[in-house]
Amino acid sequence: MKKGYLYTILFMALVSIILTSILAVSNAAFLPTIESNTLKAQKIAILDAFGVVSQEPEDYFDTNVKEKDFGIVSGY
């Protein structure tokens, strides 16, 4: 039973559309979690650069570290 090239191309296009849609929906659904984890990783990296080790790094960062603008560059 030979279905031809058109069947193969349509099948690949349909599967690609379905899987891309699933990835797009899951990315949109988990975007707040992704952003939260990115911010947490940045805070931990900044504390690590200062040599600070804490059991609750986010709480320590929020209470003890302040951002300051130095004109051209801003820092912590």
Side-chain angles (χ1 to χ4, degrees):
M1 181 178 207
K2 189 174 182 181
K3 298 204 179 204
Y5 294 110
L6 183 61
Y7 175 80
T8 304
I9 291 172
L10 290 176
F11 178 77
M12 287 189 317
L14 181 64
V15 169
S16 297
I17 290 169
I18 291 171
L19 293 177
T20 303
S21 299
I22 290 171
L23 284 173
V25 168
S26 64
N27 184 41
F30 291 112
L31 192 60
T33 304
I34 293 168
E35 291 174 349
S36 173
N37 287 339
T38 303
L39 183 60
K40 183 178 179 179
Q42 288 175 348
K43 289 179 179 180
I44 291 172
I46 291 168
L47 289 177
D48 188 41
F50 288 138
V52 176
V53 177
S54 175
Q55 295 292 333
E56 297 292 331
E58 289 184 90
D59 294 335
Y60 186 87
F61 184 90
D62 292 337
T63 58
N64 296 316
V65 178
K66 304 293 181 224
E67 185 173 6
K68 186 173 181 182
D69 187 20
F70 296 103
I72 298 174
V73 178
S74 62
Y76 294 94

